[in-house]
Amino acid sequence: MTSIHALLAATTLATATFAASAAPPTEQVHHRSVNIQDVDVFYREAGPETAPKVLLLHGFGASSYMFRELIPQLAEKYHVIAPDLPGFGQTNVLPGKSFTYSFDNLASVIDAFTVAKGMDRYAMYVFDYGAPVGWRLAVKNPQKITAIVSQNGNAYEEGLSEGWADMRKAWANPTPANREALRRFNTYEMIKWQYTEGVKDTSLVAPETYQLAHAAVERIGVEAQMDLLLDYGQNIKQYGALHDFFRRYQPPTLAIWGANDPFFIPAGANAYKRDNPKAEVQFLDTGHFAIETHGKEIADAMVEFLDRSVQRPMTSLDGKNLAQCNVGDQ
């Protein structure tokens, strides 16, 4: 009987091991698209669908590709979704349809995208252009936001460096000449510079990052980017409503910042504490695209922050919801 029991135990263990190895890991990243308001929105998705949701919003000169290493790390505990904004990456306006490139319209598409994906509550990681998109979502639907991670995602006017001088000039006086002066920001050299400026060891920056970003600009059209640069001034006008959101709802907030960013300076990170005193601020010795050189530091800080800030449903072995518990308590 002892040998039979041993054989049965070994067989059970082997079966369980095979099932575990055969099951696809939740951190596998899927690449999908969905039609939202005549825009074919491309997105990356990973993690258990029953887990707390995290929305990752990229910025200028990038796409969801910037989250290629972060997503699998978050997906061990969270359901992670990272769309390409209209005008970027693999997202495209449907043939025969038109799209006006403004931050209001970008936010409208992404808001509808979250509804289509069933994101009733979610944490946000916002970066660069992703910040004003995310801010519009938060102000419109404050009850949906569980936490905010801002990586060089500006929310205060003092966070804008002198590098915005030409943009400010065009916002105040949008003449054809002032618009044309902004075209250089979309060149290959300038996009690459934004990845490498302020970085001590530029060999850490993968060249595919800025190559893919520039290729998307060329494919989609530089005029879309020109429109967004001119429209960025509208974001500043909405800061008042955003600060009211911070004061009223006090969302758990982590501002993790590349301190050598030539466009969004450290003062913008520290300013989060003005309206949300519990906001946490961390600085990294790198540039604008901090995730490219300090991805592990950002992932570790983000997981630790989300684990103690976001609620996750506790489930039984059969998947039934039992209760709500804090992620960090499990």
Side-chain angles (χ1 to χ4, degrees):
M1 293 295 293
T2 302
S3 60
I4 293 176
H5 288 158
L7 179 61
L8 288 173
T11 302
T12 300
L13 177 62
T15 301
T17 301
F18 174 78
S21 62
T26 57
E27 60 267 26
Q28 276 191 318
V29 181
H30 299 270
H31 305 82
R32 298 175 168 132
S33 62
V34 60
N35 182 352
I36 303 291
Q37 299 177 2
D38 294 330
V39 176
D40 186 40
V41 178
F42 171 87
Y43 62 99
R44 301 168 198 263
E45 181 174 17
E49 292 189 1
T50 56
K53 300 187 185 303
V54 181
L55 177 68
L56 308 179
L57 297 176
H58 69 83
F60 174 81
S63 67
S64 60
Y65 180 72
M66 70 176 283
F67 302 120
R68 63 197 178 278
E69 295 178 358
L70 177 64
I71 293 174
Q73 296 176 76
L74 295 180
E76 293 181 4
K77 294 183 177 181
Y78 299 95
H79 183 198
V80 189
I81 300 177
D84 285 357
L85 300 176
F88 299 87
Q90 305 297 321
T91 289
N92 294 291
V93 177
L94 295 179
K97 303 297 182 179
S98 62
F99 186 85
T100 299
Y101 288 92
S102 69
F103 284 91
D104 281 348
N105 287 342
L106 263 59
S108 177
V109 169
I110 298 304
D111 187 28
F113 170 80
T114 64
V115 172
K117 292 299 298 177
M119 301 180 74
D120 297 326
R121 286 176 58 78
Y122 54 89
M124 294 193 302
Y125 176 123
V126 298
F127 165 72
D128 191 86
Y129 276 11
V133 173
W135 302 151
R136 284 166 169 78
L137 270 56
V139 169
K140 179 182 177 183
N141 304 298
Q143 75 285 354
K144 292 186 177 183
I145 308 303
T146 60
I148 294 170
V149 176
S150 177
Q151 188 255 292
N152 295 71
N154 199 58
Y156 290 84
E157 192 160 2
E158 58 261 48
L160 300 176
S161 73
E162 294 181 0
W164 288 86
D166 285 346
M167 273 79 82
R168 288 183 181 276
K169 183 179 179 181
W171 301 338
N173 188 20
T175 64
N178 287 342
R179 175 187 172 95
E180 191 62 27
L182 306 182
R183 191 170 296 275
R184 74 181 191 281
F185 288 101
N186 300 285
T187 63
Y188 177 82
E189 293 76 17
M190 191 62 174
I191 293 175
K192 177 181 178 181
W193 179 83
Q194 292 184 50
Y195 275 85
T196 58
E197 178 65 15
V199 176
K200 288 189 174 180
D201 183 0
T202 57
S203 70
L204 295 173
V205 179
E208 294 89 346
T209 54
Y210 47 83
Q211 291 169 353
L212 288 172
H214 182 255
V217 171
E218 292 294 299
R219 175 175 55 83
I220 297 171
V222 71
E223 297 307 320
Q225 299 303 323
M226 299 283 281
D227 289 346
L228 288 172
L229 281 171
L230 278 173
D231 190 60
Y232 195 93
Q234 299 301 314
N235 299 328
I236 299 173
K237 296 178 181 179
Q238 299 192 23
Y239 279 170
L242 173 63
H243 301 161
D244 181 67
F245 161 77
F246 288 150
R247 287 191 297 270
R248 181 175 180 183
Y249 295 97
Q250 301 283 295
T253 299
L254 169 64
I256 188 162
W257 222 261
N260 309 324
D261 190 331
F263 292 108
F264 299 124
I265 58 179
N270 287 322
Y272 279 91
K273 287 182 169 291
R274 180 188 310 152
D275 297 303
N276 189 352
K278 293 182 179 179
E280 303 169 35
V281 180
Q282 297 183 31
F283 291 106
L284 303 169
D285 187 12
T286 190
H288 184 58
F289 286 92
I291 197 170
E292 296 297 334
T293 57
H294 290 66
K296 184 180 186 305
E297 291 88 337
I298 290 174
D300 289 347
M302 187 171 178
V303 169
E304 191 277 333
F305 168 73
L306 290 176
D307 280 357
R308 57 184 163 83
S309 302
V310 177
Q311 295 293 313
R312 181 171 70 182
M314 181 186 294
T315 57
S316 61
L317 292 178
D318 62 2
K320 292 182 179 179
N321 190 2
L322 295 180
Q324 290 288 330
C325 65
N326 188 278
V327 176
D329 293 336
Q330 295 189 47

